[in-house]
Amino acid sequence: MEHALSPTTLIELRRPRPYPAVSVLTPTHRREPESAQDPVRLRNVVAEAKKRLEHDPAVTRERRNDVVEQLDRALAEVDLTHAEDGLAIFAAPGEHQVWSLTRPVPERVVLSDTFLTRNLVAAQAAERPFWVLAVSADRVTLWNGAGHRVTEARVGGFPMTRDRDNFDAERQERIGDLPSTFRDEDIRHFLRDADTAVARVLRTRQRPLYVTGETAALSLLDEIGTVTRDAAHIPHGGLAHGTPEAVWQAVRPMVAAEDRRNVDTVARRLEAARGHKTFAAGVDEVRQNAQQGRIQLLAVEENFRTAVRADGDGGGHLVPADSGDLDVREDIVDEIVERCLDTGAEVRFVPDGTLGDARGIAGVLRY
């Protein structure tokens, strides 16, 4: 199952497909007893997708069989023992993908000529992704951080290793045999190359960067680095050879502190917008401004969900709805998030209750 959504991957997911491109979404659960229902619910929603394919006159028999086979393959790849909060299955002629999401999604089946990506985009934004670069004298690793986990990223030439006979820099540093390791010219070149490599990654996937390593390594990056010099430094050796859990525990306090600073900054910007009459609040008002590309900063409470429908007066306004209502839009919040990101807005998820009378969602307008 996929987790990390890069800009390149998103572009690929959004490209038009031969009809039908099937999107299957279903909520999942991390723990019992709720998780016990997930296998049955998943099979049922996939069965619904197959039924829709069977009764769609625009789908030829050949394509229907192809997409049904892709759905079966996707279903076989799902690992519900590691389920998060939602699941998305995409299937089209000749291809399929399975995505695990850290944000709940409404259960739905969509047949179109593109995949439904709004829920993936919103889940990625809610995770507040970051990078961790772990450096040592003989190895540099890059870690993809999102939510409350990190996974090793094998992109941009990482991990980088420096091979030398009988070279064990970590061990020698621990026993004191290598007091000037990071003064070695080869190591300076090695870490400069790592700095250049992570700069390339940041150009296409911009996000906060944390750098961990021995104090001497971080001092060297202060001297020779570019993006690594300006990143948040965490003095902690051994993580270039470490486990995901060890890396997460090392960066966790700084990530939490950064989250608190971001929430404070969002609150101040929203308060200033009220004074400047560039403030929008509530789903209907925010959605209209998002459609016009007027949102500069979007703030959403982490667990805010609401179902809406058009009010029927022709004015394009939205009103609250129940899940069973006709033409209900259960993932309107994710739709707004995706639209704001597409128009270059900042999107920040904040703890529940932060937005007060803004009713779960608010924005700072460009004009």
Side-chain angles (χ1 to χ4, degrees):
M1 296 193 295
E2 303 287 345
H3 293 272
L5 182 66
S6 70
T8 302
T9 302
L10 181 58
I11 290 171
E12 167 61 20
L13 283 174
R14 283 176 164 173
R15 70 171 174 81
R17 260 80 178 172
Y19 187 85
V22 181
S23 301
V24 176
L25 285 84
T26 185
T28 54
H29 303 84
R30 296 173 185 261
R31 55 188 64 87
E32 294 181 340
E34 294 85 359
S35 62
Q37 66 182 293
D38 290 347
V40 174
R41 191 167 188 171
L42 176 59
R43 286 196 298 271
N44 287 344
V45 73
V46 171
E48 171 64 22
K50 293 179 180 179
K51 182 179 178 181
R52 296 269 297 274
L53 288 167
E54 180 71 28
H55 292 89
D56 190 333
V59 181
T60 65
R61 178 178 180 182
E62 181 182 5
R63 282 199 174 169
R64 180 175 65 248
N65 291 340
D66 188 342
V67 177
V68 166
E69 181 182 353
Q70 297 298 330
L71 285 169
D72 287 338
R73 290 182 180 180
L75 191 59
E77 292 176 11
V78 174
D79 181 5
L80 290 176
T81 60
H82 297 97
E84 296 177 299
D85 301 308
L87 191 70
I89 292 176
F90 299 137
E95 63 173 319
H96 68 272
Q97 294 189 37
V98 180
W99 288 82
S100 179
L101 309 179
T102 58
R103 182 173 168 82
V105 297
E107 183 173 291
R108 67 188 307 182
V109 175
V110 177
L111 274 63
S112 183
D113 58 358
T114 59
F115 293 138
L116 184 68
T117 60
R118 66 177 62 134
N119 307 97
L120 270 69
V121 171
Q124 181 84 349
E127 285 188 321
R128 297 180 291 275
F130 57 90
W131 295 115
V132 182
L133 189 73
V135 302
S136 70
D138 65 331
R139 182 177 171 85
V140 179
T141 52
L142 184 65
W143 300 81
N144 177 41
H148 299 290
R149 68 174 187 271
V150 297
T151 55
E152 188 172 353
R154 296 184 176 271
V155 296
F158 292 100
M160 299 175 63
T161 57
R162 176 171 171 263
D163 296 324
R164 280 178 57 183
D165 292 339
N166 301 317
F167 180 69
D168 185 355
E170 296 286 344
R171 174 183 174 279
Q172 294 178 55
E173 287 165 7
R174 286 195 299 270
I175 65 177
D177 288 350
L178 202 59
S180 58
T181 299
F182 293 97
R183 297 176 194 170
D184 181 273
E185 192 60 31
D186 287 343
I187 294 179
R188 292 172 66 90
H189 284 298
F190 178 58
L191 293 190
R192 187 178 289 114
D193 289 345
D195 177 86
T196 300
V198 77
R200 285 196 297 266
V201 172
L202 287 171
R203 278 197 290 272
T204 57
R205 299 173 68 176
Q206 182 66 44
R207 59 177 72 168
L209 174 66
Y210 302 94
V211 182
T212 75
E214 297 287 343
T215 301
L218 299 181
S219 296
L220 178 56
L221 289 175
D222 275 337
E223 177 187 343
I224 67 171
T226 55
V227 294
T228 53
R229 177 182 58 212
D230 297 329
H233 285 189
I234 304 172
H236 193 304
L239 295 180
H241 298 268
T243 63
E245 180 61 20
V247 174
W248 167 240
Q249 291 302 328
V251 302
R252 182 178 183 178
M254 190 165 285
V255 171
E258 182 63 22
D259 285 346
R260 290 191 294 270
R261 285 192 293 271
N262 285 336
V263 170
D264 291 342
T265 299
V266 168
R268 287 195 298 270
R269 291 177 64 181
L270 290 172
E271 189 60 33
R274 287 179 186 269
H276 293 120
K277 309 300 183 185
T278 55
F279 177 80
V283 168
D284 186 45
E285 185 177 1
V286 169
R287 198 265 309 186
Q288 290 192 52
N289 282 285
Q291 292 285 46
Q292 297 167 15
R294 296 183 63 196
I295 302 289
Q296 181 183 73
L297 167 69
L298 178 72
V300 184
E301 292 185 354
E302 289 171 345
N303 293 300
F304 176 60
R305 305 282 187 283
T306 188
V308 298
R309 59 175 174 79
D311 65 0
D313 66 357
H317 293 285
L318 301 175
V319 295
D322 295 324
S323 293
D325 287 354
L326 184 66
D327 296 328
V328 66
R329 296 161 74 172
E330 294 187 68
D331 56 354
I332 186 64
V333 175
D334 288 4
E335 184 179 325
I336 292 170
V337 169
E338 183 180 49
R339 175 60 181 166
C340 286
L341 289 169
D342 284 347
T343 55
E346 296 177 61
V347 175
R348 296 287 182 266
F349 284 80
V350 297
D352 295 347
T354 300
L355 301 181
D357 61 0
R359 303 183 301 282
I361 188 167
V364 177
L365 306 183
R366 292 189 169 101
Y367 56 90

